[in-house]
Amino acid sequence: MRDENIIQDKRWKRIFWKVIIIPHKIVMFIIITFTILIFSFAFIFIMYKFENPLEGDFINYVLTIHSKIKFSGIEKEKKDERFEVRFARLSFFSGQVSVRKEGRLRWDTAIKDLSLGTRDIIRTYSNSYAEVSFDDGNILQIKPDSLVVIGNLTEDAWTKEKHSSVKLMESDIEADIKKPEVIGSKFNIETPNAVASIKDEAKIAIKVTNEQTSQIKVFTGSVDVQVSDENVKVKPAEAIEISSNKEIVKIKDLPEGPVLYTPENQKEFFYKGIEDSGIILKWEGDSKSVKYHLEIAKDIHFVDLLISKDDLLEKSVYLQEMPQSAYYWRVRGINRDGYKGASSDLRTFKIVFDNTPPRILIGNILILNEKNGIILYITGETEPNTELTINDKKIKADAAGRFRGFFNAKGDKEVLKIEAFDVVGNRSYLEKIVSIK
């Protein structure tokens, strides 16, 4: 009897599962699945309307989402193959510059055009400078006493987006970022307390002090700066300072780069000696500038600085007793809060000491028989812009040193008395007898 009851109970349980439990679970599964599909469809439709507010093919949009989901696993597997490794190079350096390659403990002396990859470190010492060039045209200028780590350098093989990054320790740099060929490319500069992201053409300067304070200046373009959970957009002629505890101070009204007026670029000045040398530099600044910072150097990168004055109230300066050399100069405006703005364009001038009398070379002399008598046509060469007197008639040589003129002959023999004065006053004298037959 007991065994029959047990069998009967098992039959009822099987019937209960078949009739009630299993159908119930199937129904619940169908309801949940249907609900998920409805919510998924609603979400996709909302995204479709958000991304295509005016028009667009909804079916193609859904198929695009499906393709992304379908191939996401393949993308993950081929991630390493998708991103190609890029390299930068040390295009220029001056002074004491060292490089530590990834995985090495030894610092090596810098070599021009040295290939730089991820996690390579560049160090500049006092009175030194380095320039790193990237394959997309971007240039990183590293000033003295800086430590820079090369970060991510990759290119997406599918989209051709280029991602570059560097990390600054205690550093002073300027970056000239070109307009990317592919939208989505970006250049990140990381400091101890912020990340500056540049996605379009821009010129910026970033300084990190030994107290871990970061100052980011934007001269052209715009930069997105991430500080913890806060994102700050820095526009042209603006800057921000981030303290070591990540407090942000926004700075506005950075001066524009001054316009240099005189002397013209590549102008040469001639003097007899250093005691005679003296030139005037002139420029024009904007309304934000209350004073100016003038820099004069013997090299184009301004490592060998001869003059650095940041307290000039006037828009000109007179330089005396400058040695013979080629010079480079630039000017920055300083606003009322003491912040320096963008640099002017670079110009160069040259000072030459000349104690040598100008040479006088006479070419062929043409004798012309005219109604009014004999005319001599004289050509010759001397130093550029030299003033000459030929038989009391004044002429001036051109910028190449050539001169020419017509002169009346008074007899069978004409004595040409030629006197030349170059731009610094050196004198030459020449007599030439011309026989007239």
Side-chain angles (χ1 to χ4, degrees):
M1 186 68 181
R2 185 178 176 184
D3 294 337
E4 291 179 0
N5 290 336
I6 293 172
I7 294 171
Q8 190 70 21
D9 289 340
K10 289 182 178 180
R11 289 176 179 173
W12 276 109
K13 286 181 180 180
R14 283 197 295 269
I15 294 172
F16 179 77
W17 274 93
K18 290 180 181 179
V19 176
I20 298 176
I21 300 298
I22 294 177
H24 175 73
K25 290 184 177 293
I26 294 173
V27 170
M28 290 300 296
F29 176 78
I30 293 172
I31 292 174
I32 292 171
T33 303
F34 188 69
T35 304
I36 292 173
L37 289 174
I38 290 176
F39 276 103
S40 299
F41 179 83
F43 176 76
I44 293 173
F45 186 76
I46 291 171
M47 292 300 297
Y48 161 75
K49 295 300 290 182
F50 177 77
E51 295 183 9
N52 302 271
L54 297 179
E55 59 182 357
D57 191 337
F58 179 68
I59 301 299
N60 287 336
Y61 181 80
V62 173
L63 292 175
T64 301
I65 297 295
H66 174 264
S67 298
K68 289 181 179 180
I69 295 172
K70 180 179 178 180
F71 292 104
S72 61
I74 299 175
E75 292 178 8
K76 187 174 181 180
E77 292 175 2
K78 295 186 177 181
K79 183 177 180 181
D80 293 338
E81 299 177 6
R82 174 175 173 177
F83 292 95
E84 299 175 353
V85 177
R86 298 163 46 232
F87 294 91
R89 65 184 180 91
L90 187 65
S91 53
F92 177 85
F93 73 93
S94 176
Q96 186 180 1
V97 179
S98 298
V99 176
R100 194 173 82 182
K101 301 294 287 183
E102 179 194 4
R104 295 184 185 177
L105 297 177
R106 184 183 72 250
W107 287 91
D108 297 321
T109 302
I111 303 172
K112 190 176 184 298
D113 291 326
L114 177 68
S115 179
L116 299 171
T118 301
R119 289 185 287 277
D120 289 347
I121 306 174
I122 305 128
R123 173 186 285 174
T124 59
Y125 296 86
S126 299
N127 300 319
S128 62
Y129 172 92
E131 196 167 272
V132 177
S133 298
F134 297 81
D135 58 359
D136 48 8
N138 297 328
I139 297 176
L140 189 70
Q141 302 168 357
I142 307 174
K143 298 181 182 181
D145 299 311
S146 297
L147 190 66
V148 177
V149 182
I150 303 296
N152 179 43
L153 292 176
T154 58
E155 179 177 354
D156 191 322
W158 297 357
T159 65
K160 299 302 179 183
E161 296 174 3
K162 291 185 177 182
H163 294 172
S164 307
S165 69
V166 295
K167 184 176 182 179
L168 309 182
M169 309 307 286
E170 183 180 350
S171 301
D172 188 1
I173 65 100
E174 289 193 16
D176 186 359
I177 308 301
K178 306 301 182 184
K179 187 177 182 64
E181 296 180 356
V182 177
I183 296 175
S185 300
K186 63 181 178 179
F187 196 106
N188 285 352
I189 302 178
E190 181 182 348
T191 73
N193 43 25
V195 177
S197 183
I198 309 156
K199 300 177 182 178
D200 207 340
E201 186 175 6
K203 289 185 179 181
I204 69 170
I206 300 180
K207 186 172 185 178
V208 180
T209 67
N210 56 4
E211 292 88 9
Q212 302 298 290
T213 297
S214 302
Q215 185 184 84
I216 301 173
K217 294 180 180 179
V218 178
F219 303 128
T220 61
S222 62
V223 177
D224 293 320
V225 180
Q226 188 75 33
V227 183
S228 295
D229 295 331
E230 185 174 357
N231 190 24
V232 181
K233 192 173 191 66
V234 187
K235 299 177 182 178
E238 291 184 351
I240 61 170
E241 282 187 344
I242 306 121
S243 66
S244 56
N245 58 359
K246 300 189 177 181
E247 292 181 355
I248 301 173
V249 177
K250 197 160 188 178
I251 303 162
K252 294 187 177 182
D253 297 330
L254 291 180
E256 303 286 340
V259 177
L260 305 184
Y261 280 147
T262 58
E264 63 188 29
N265 195 28
Q266 299 182 345
K267 175 76 174 179
E268 289 186 338
F269 296 89
F270 294 88
Y271 303 98
K272 282 190 173 182
I274 190 170
E275 65 280 355
D276 300 322
S277 65
I279 64 171
I280 298 176
L281 306 180
K282 290 185 179 181
W283 61 88
E284 187 63 46
D286 62 9
S287 59
K288 304 171 189 175
S289 301
V290 296
K291 57 182 179 178
Y292 299 93
H293 182 198
L294 169 68
E295 291 180 308
I296 300 177
K298 285 189 175 182
D299 65 290
I300 196 171
H301 298 288
F302 289 81
V303 178
D304 187 10
L305 272 177
L306 301 177
I307 295 175
S308 179
K309 292 182 65 66
D310 59 2
D311 57 355
L312 298 175
L313 301 177
E314 302 296 329
K315 301 174 185 177
S316 64
V317 65
Y318 180 60
L319 304 175
Q320 291 180 290
E321 298 186 355
M322 297 285 288
Q324 177 173 270
S325 183
Y327 296 94
Y328 299 87
W329 68 293
R330 64 186 180 189
V331 181
R332 294 179 188 268
I334 305 174
N335 68 12
R336 63 182 69 257
D337 296 318
Y339 292 102
K340 296 175 184 177
S343 172
S344 66
D345 290 335
L346 175 69
R347 280 195 182 182
T348 180
F349 63 88
K350 188 176 183 179
I351 291 179
V352 180
F353 294 157
D354 182 9
N355 290 297
T356 305
R359 71 187 190 285
I360 303 174
L361 301 175
I362 301 299
N364 294 328
I365 299 175
L366 297 180
I367 302 173
L368 307 174
N369 290 309
E370 301 290 337
K371 293 181 180 180
N372 298 330
I374 303 298
I375 303 295
L376 303 179
Y377 178 65
I378 301 173
T379 61
E381 292 183 4
T382 184
E383 290 184 5
N385 302 313
T386 292
E387 294 182 351
L388 300 99
T389 301
I390 303 178
N391 290 358
D392 298 326
K393 182 177 180 180
K394 293 183 177 181
I395 59 176
K396 186 175 182 179
D398 61 21
R402 297 183 294 263
F403 63 89
R404 62 184 61 83
F406 292 94
F407 301 89
N408 293 319
K410 299 178 181 178
D412 293 339
K413 289 185 178 181
E414 183 69 22
V415 179
L416 298 176
K417 299 179 180 180
I418 306 169
E419 193 174 21
F421 293 89
D422 64 18
V423 292
V424 299
N426 295 312
R427 176 183 177 274
S428 293
Y429 182 78
L430 174 69
E431 286 190 4
K432 187 176 181 63
I433 298 175
V434 181
S435 297
I436 300 171
K437 296 180 181 180

